[in-house]
Amino acid sequence: MTKQLSGYLLAALIAGASLHAQQPAASQPAQTQPAPPAPASTAPSAQAPPAQQPATGQEQTDVNAPTIRLGVNEVSLIFTVTNKHGEYVPNLQQSDFALLDDQKAPARVNSFHQQINLPLRVGVVIDASTSIRSRFQFEQQSATEFLLQVVKARSDRAFVMGFDVTPTVETDWTDNIDALEAGVNRLRPGGGTALFDAVYTACRDKLLSERGPEPVRKAMVLISDGDDNQSRAYLDDAIKMCERAETIVYAISTNWTPSRGKGDQVLTRLAEATGGQAFFPPSVEEMSKSFKSIEDELRSQYALTYTPADFKYNGAFRTIYLYCNDRRYQVRAKKGYFAPRQ
């Protein structure tokens, strides 16, 4: 069975090379119900030519890269590459990666950028339920420090949302650090925990609308113990809305116990499904290090845009499978996207 899957993927990738000279498929995406086409062990070898071939003048640039503009038939994919120690791997080339979209190599790869400096759109979503009362002040301090370090005036924007039984936007989209800090400081703990509702609402009402002809890095920093006891939405609903909003989730657990509970599993699933990461600081004092890791990652990412093959405007979920030909490195990216409807 493994040989069959390997052969299938290799055939799909080789087919992508011939599609390079053909007419672009069609359309721009949205985002995802996880269903990777095949495990990494069955993927084609590093010699496979496919999706790595540049369409036309392929660009490989640093933080001074020119503005990226998306065509109507393009998908924007932002991803992170780490080694076995979790360290970010810089200076990789387009030829170092292989890509499948809906189990097919893309018709063409239109651009590739290293360590991009795209505008940031970030939502800081803070659990303000009774269960985190004892460590709430540390959460506020760490979140404020993160916003001070990350949000750059005139290019980046952020919002602050707190939640207990219901989510509340304390500060709407802005690049004003004072306003964002005031929003964090207005939060007061109390009540139950409707985590899934908060994630769903933040993506639907705030992050989903942050879309235009130029790609941005959309991220949610979620601070919670992951224990939900009040939501109307389910975990899968929250994940699906994150995928539709093309938002990467970075979760910071406020569970300081040595054992990983159900809440930590929820946070891990949210993060992994969207191409993000879950952090489990051993103490409240260590929380700021988790924020620093998120900041470092947001400035150490790659981006490529491509035209998918055999695209259909049917609202279906299309899986994305991206891996590095050097198997010492791991790639974190969204699992897919929802095709738009005509």
Side-chain angles (χ1 to χ4, degrees), residues 12-13 15-27 49-58 71 73-77 94 99-101 104-112 304-310 318 337:
L13 287 170
S18 64
L19 285 171
H20 167 67
Q22 296 179 10
Q23 198 172 2
S27 173
Q52 280 46 60
Q53 302 305 317
T56 53
Q58 200 76 26
N73 298 331
E74 290 183 322
V75 176
S76 174
L77 182 61
Q94 181 186 318
L99 170 67
L100 293 177
D101 181 299
K104 302 176 185 67
R108 67 183 65 198
V109 174
N110 302 316
S111 69
F112 177 85
L304 63 83
T305 61
Y306 66 91
T307 302
D310 190 27
R318 294 175 66 96
Y337 61 92

Side-chain angles (χ1 to χ4, degrees), residues 31-32 78-80 243 247-250 268-278 297 301 331-336:
Q31 244 188 340
T32 223
I78 297 173
F79 59 95
T80 303
E243 294 165 342
T247 297
I248 300 171
V249 176
Y250 296 99
T268 299
R269 188 174 166 199
L270 267 170
E272 290 182 349
T274 58
Q277 190 174 2
E297 175 159 330
Q301 293 174 313
V331 177
R332 279 193 282 108
K334 63 186 180 183
K335 305 300 187 208

Side-chain angles (χ1 to χ4, degrees), residues 39-120:
S41 60
T42 66
S45 68
Q47 281 70 39
Q52 280 46 60
Q53 302 305 317
T56 53
Q58 200 76 26
E59 295 184 44
Q60 296 170 354
T61 56
D62 57 16
V63 293
N64 297 314
T67 299
I68 307 168
R69 294 186 181 276
L70 292 179
V72 294
N73 298 331
E74 290 183 322
V75 176
S76 174
L77 182 61
I78 297 173
F79 59 95
T80 303
V81 184
T82 57
N83 60 22
K84 64 180 181 180
H85 302 294
E87 300 165 335
Y88 302 115
V89 180
N91 304 321
L92 295 175
Q93 308 301 313
Q94 181 186 318
S95 57
D96 293 318
F97 301 96
L99 170 67
L100 293 177
D101 181 299
D102 200 29
Q103 301 186 354
K104 302 176 185 67
R108 67 183 65 198
V109 174
N110 302 316
S111 69
F112 177 85
H113 298 270
Q114 301 177 25
Q115 298 178 342
I116 54 167
N117 194 26
L118 293 177
L120 179 64

Side-chain angles (χ1 to χ4, degrees), residues 27-30 244 311-317 338-342:
S27 173
Q28 188 176 349
R244 290 191 183 279
F311 193 88
K312 296 179 177 63
Y313 293 89
N314 56 8
F317 179 75
F338 287 97
R341 296 183 183 274
Q342 284 185 323

Side-chain angles (χ1 to χ4, degrees), residues 104-296:
K104 302 176 185 67
R108 67 183 65 198
V109 174
N110 302 316
S111 69
F112 177 85
H113 298 270
Q114 301 177 25
Q115 298 178 342
I116 54 167
N117 194 26
L118 293 177
L120 179 64
R121 300 291 182 265
V122 61
V124 177
V125 180
I126 302 176
D127 188 338
S129 62
T130 302
S131 62
I132 51 80
R133 183 183 297 272
S134 62
R135 46 213 188 253
F136 191 70
Q137 185 176 357
F138 288 95
E139 291 183 13
Q140 290 175 305
Q141 291 173 352
S142 299
T144 299
E145 290 172 8
F146 170 77
L147 290 167
L148 284 168
Q149 293 297 320
V150 169
V151 177
K152 308 302 179 187
R154 294 184 298 279
S155 63
D156 302 336
R157 293 199 297 163
F159 70 88
V160 174
M161 172 184 283
F163 69 93
D164 43 32
V165 176
T166 57
T168 303
V169 175
E170 296 293 343
T171 302
D172 211 337
W173 288 115
T174 184
D175 62 354
N176 186 316
I177 296 298
D178 290 339
L180 292 167
E181 181 177 4
V184 172
N185 291 334
R186 277 195 297 270
L187 293 169
R188 295 290 182 270
T193 309
L195 170 65
F196 306 149
D197 287 353
V199 172
Y200 185 96
T201 302
C203 286
R204 182 194 63 190
D205 295 351
K206 295 298 172 187
L207 289 152
L208 186 63
S209 62
E210 290 296 302
R211 181 181 300 164
E214 299 172 5
V216 294
R217 292 172 298 167
K218 293 196 289 186
M220 178 189 300
V221 178
L222 175 63
I223 308 166
S224 175
D225 57 12
D227 292 326
D228 189 299
N229 55 26
Q230 293 285 338
S231 285
R232 297 178 183 178
Y234 294 99
L235 175 58
D236 285 345
D237 298 326
I239 290 174
K240 185 177 292 187
M241 189 52 67
C242 288
E243 294 165 342
R244 290 191 183 279
E246 299 180 328
T247 297
I248 300 171
V249 176
Y250 296 99
I252 301 177
S253 174
T254 57
N255 171 23
W256 315 127
T257 62
S259 60
R260 300 270 71 89
K262 182 179 178 181
D264 288 335
Q265 295 173 16
V266 166
L267 298 179
T268 299
R269 188 174 166 199
L270 267 170
E272 290 182 349
T274 58
Q277 190 174 2
F279 298 87
F280 304 99
S283 67
V284 69
E285 292 81 9
E286 295 288 313
M287 182 178 286
S288 59
K289 292 184 179 180
S290 299
F291 278 105
K292 182 62 169 63
S293 295
I294 296 171
E295 177 192 350
D296 291 343

